[in-house]
């Protein structure tokens, strides 16, 4: 039987590439996005249906999910919508902080919650969530973004026990850098005193030390693998940079990894001075 995937943030980047890949593999795709009226590519493809969804809107989430499951089968939910908030925390407005958390974290929790009774009732289903290399390691000047992605890893691991009771799976795709609209869509909080750190970080990004930019199709292939390989595996690393970071962090230990990154950013330890 033809399978169906529901994808959030399908208007661009990884969400769109995943929609195209699953469609090309014979899946039915429900592509959720904020502005379906603006979409010109996915609506030309057979077996892709566009639905309107802003993931910070809880009533829209509940109504959309209710109407989808009333009419069709869903096998996989891909929680992918997200964006980055960069800059120093002290300069971020409360609105910027909440918007980041409500989009990247609460949005995923709410979409997952809305689909659980349906998957539970049919005793089948799989959730996949896009996290990040910064969902298990870290980078400077994006603490709230890092917090949302770490939280998604914790959320997924914890709820994996609950969902397993009903034969429902959950996985994450921890992606390295992706060539997408992400950088353009980023919001920035500012912070002049942090400029020196921003510059050192820029150098690490340009020489590929912090992460590298992978082709979006390559990351979509990992989503497809996670959806279809039947493995009891929680986290899928996507991209060579994510694999390398995970390996280094495991070999060196989390503290040494963090200290080494801080040293490459030319920052002294705050614990050097005796108190
Ligand atoms: N790019 C990277 O380097 C990178 C690395 C690791 C992980 N990720 C993660 O990968 C995922 C996809 O990002 P991308 O790289 O594909 O970036 P992208 O090209 O900017 O796509 C982001 C998608 O999320 C949607 N979105 C943002 N806020 C939303 C909201 N409130 N409600 C509904 N949809 C919303 C965007 O919709 P609109 O078109 O309406 O804005 C867009 O469809 C994100 O979760 C991101 O954190 C990205």
């Amino acid at each position: 039987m033809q399978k169906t995937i529901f994808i959030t943030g399908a208007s661009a980047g990884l969400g769109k590439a995943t929609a195209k890949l699953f469609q090309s593999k014979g899946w039915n795709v429900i592509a959720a996005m904020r502005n379906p009226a603006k979409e010109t590519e996915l609506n030309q493809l057979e077996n892709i249906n566009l639905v309107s969804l802003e993931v910070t809107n809880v009533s829209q989430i509940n109504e959309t999910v209710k109407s989808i499951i009333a009419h069709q089968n869903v096998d996989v939910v891909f929680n992918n919508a997200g964006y980055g908030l960069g800059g120093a925390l002290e300069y971020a407005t409360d609105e910027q902080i909440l918007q980041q958390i409500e989009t990247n974290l609460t949005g995923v929790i709410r979409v997952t919650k809305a689909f659980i009774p349906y998957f539970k009732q049919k005793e089948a289903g799989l959730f996949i969530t896009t996290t990040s290399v910064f969902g298990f390691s870290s980078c400077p000047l994006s603490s709230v973004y890092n917090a949302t992605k770490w939280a998604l890893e914790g959320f997924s691991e914890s709820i994996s026990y609950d969902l397993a009771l009903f034969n429902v799976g959950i996985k994450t795709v921890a992606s390295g850098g992706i060539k997408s609209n992400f950088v353009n869509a980023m919001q920035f909080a500012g912070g002049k005193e942090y400029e020196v750190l921003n510059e050192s970080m820029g150098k690490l990004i340009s020489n590929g030390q912090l992460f590298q930019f992978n082709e979006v199709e390559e990351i979509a292939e990992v989503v497809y693998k996670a959806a279809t390989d039947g493995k009891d595996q929680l986290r899928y690393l996507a991209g060579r940079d994510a694999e390398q970071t995970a390996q280094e962090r495991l070999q060196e230990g989390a503290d040494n990894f963090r200290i080494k990154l801080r040293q490459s950013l030319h920052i002294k330890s705050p614990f050097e001075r005796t108190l």
Side-chain angles (χ1 to χ4, degrees):
M1 203 176 89
Q2 189 182 35
K3 296 212 162 200
T4 299
I5 183 168
F6 172 85
I7 302 173
T8 67
S11 64
L14 180 59
K16 180 173 262 192
T18 303
K20 284 156 71 178
L21 178 66
F22 277 70
Q23 188 270 354
S24 74
K25 302 270 189 190
W27 285 56
N28 190 35
V29 177
I30 305 165
M33 59 188 71
R34 287 193 275 202
N35 295 301
K38 287 192 186 161
E39 180 59 38
T40 54
E41 197 182 358
L42 296 184
N43 56 354
Q44 304 298 317
L45 298 173
E46 215 186 325
N47 298 327
I48 298 193
N49 293 308
L50 310 188
V51 296
S52 185
L53 187 64
E54 157 62 65
V55 299
T56 60
N57 183 336
V58 67
S59 52
Q60 196 185 22
I61 290 175
N62 293 333
E63 286 307 310
T64 304
V65 173
K66 200 171 139 193
S67 119
I68 288 170
I69 60 181
H71 299 107
Q72 60 188 303
N73 194 46
V74 177
D75 301 282
V76 177
V77 170
F78 181 36
N79 277 309
N80 166 74
Y83 74 95
L85 171 63
L89 178 64
E90 61 173 304
Y91 290 101
T93 63
D94 205 47
E95 197 187 359
Q96 283 178 316
I97 294 169
L98 290 177
Q99 183 71 15
Q100 176 77 127
I101 295 171
E102 287 196 3
T103 305
N104 291 13
L105 176 61
T106 318
V108 173
I109 294 174
R110 285 171 169 162
V111 171
T112 304
K113 182 179 172 213
F115 272 105
I116 287 175
Y118 166 72
F119 279 168
K120 179 179 151 202
Q121 191 259 329
K122 67 173 191 164
E123 295 204 337
L126 175 65
F127 293 102
I128 303 175
T129 298
T130 311
T131 61
S132 168
V133 62
F134 301 129
F136 63 86
S137 75
S138 55
C139 69
L141 295 177
S142 57
S143 54
V144 184
Y145 179 77
N146 280 227
T148 61
K149 296 300 185 178
W150 276 73
L152 287 173
E153 290 283 345
F155 166 75
S156 305
E157 184 165 328
S158 170
I159 205 167
S160 72
Y161 305 108
D162 319 9
L163 296 176
L165 267 180
F166 308 104
N167 199 38
V168 175
I170 188 156
K171 299 185 174 192
T172 66
V173 171
S175 176
I178 312 173
K179 291 180 196 167
S180 69
N181 195 43
F182 186 84
V183 175
N184 294 333
M186 273 188 82
Q187 284 187 18
F188 290 95
K192 269 191 184 156
E193 317 87 283
Y194 296 84
E195 199 40 45
V196 59
L197 176 54
N198 201 22
E199 278 168 22
S200 330
M201 184 167 72
K203 282 183 193 145
L204 292 193
I205 295 172
S206 7
N207 68 21
Q209 250 179 284
L210 197 55
F211 60 84
Q212 286 143 32
F213 286 101
N214 300 280
E215 296 299 332
V216 71
E217 291 79 12
E218 196 186 325
I219 308 301
E221 287 287 352
V222 179
V223 180
Y224 188 75
K225 186 168 176 238
T228 55
D229 68 3
K231 278 194 188 165
D232 194 350
Q233 175 179 334
L234 187 75
R235 182 193 292 154
Y236 288 66
L237 299 166
R240 272 183 307 282
D241 53 339
E243 282 167 18
Q244 198 179 325
T245 301
Q247 202 179 2
E248 281 173 17
R249 200 172 162 99
L250 193 66
Q251 275 166 2
E252 292 167 14
D255 272 326
N256 285 338
F257 180 90
R258 176 182 56 80
I259 290 166
K260 211 175 89 182
L261 176 57
R262 191 180 61 216
Q263 285 167 346
S264 18
L265 292 157
H266 314 293
I267 308 166
K268 278 197 272 179
S269 166
F271 301 100
E272 267 172 24
R273 279 164 256 136
T274 44
L275 296 174

